[in-house]
Amino acid sequence: MQEALTNVRKHAPGARGEVRVGLVAGRLRVEVRNTAADGTAAPPGLPAGGNGLVGLRERAHLLGGSFTAARLPGGGFLVRAEFPARPSLPT
């Protein structure tokens, strides 16, 4: 969640974000979605490593989960991860 919210701040200045966490079909679902940038807010000047979404995907898969990230109609963005209710941790 933290990485996805940081991405909203970096890439969509002034956008509104929404976080949803819940159980869906016995799996933990975590979603962060945002609106498009408002066009008037200045970019925050935060450093960008370019690995945020890749790292999120890797971490979700390590826990037996799935990960999606996609643009939304109207310019927003959605990041979603789903995990088994009881993940098996790597040894």
Side-chain angles (χ1 to χ4, degrees), residues 24 27-31 53 56-69 79-84 87:
V24 177
R27 293 174 60 85
L28 174 65
R29 178 182 286 175
V30 179
E31 283 186 357
L53 295 178
L56 288 171
R57 184 180 318 282
E58 289 174 353
R59 284 176 267 169
H61 288 171
L62 281 172
L63 293 172
S66 62
F67 176 84
T68 56
V79 172
R80 176 186 293 149
E82 290 189 8
F83 304 95

Side-chain angles (χ1 to χ4, degrees), residues 13-78:
R16 295 184 55 126
E18 179 179 275
V19 175
R20 293 182 182 182
V21 179
L23 288 174
V24 177
R27 293 174 60 85
L28 174 65
R29 178 182 286 175
V30 179
E31 283 186 357
V32 175
R33 65 175 65 219
N34 62 274
T35 61
D38 73 6
T40 62
L46 298 170
N51 298 311
L53 295 178
V54 171
L56 288 171
R57 184 180 318 282
E58 289 174 353
R59 284 176 267 169
H61 288 171
L62 281 172
L63 293 172
S66 62
F67 176 84
T68 56
R71 294 189 188 281
L72 296 171
F77 206 79
L78 168 68

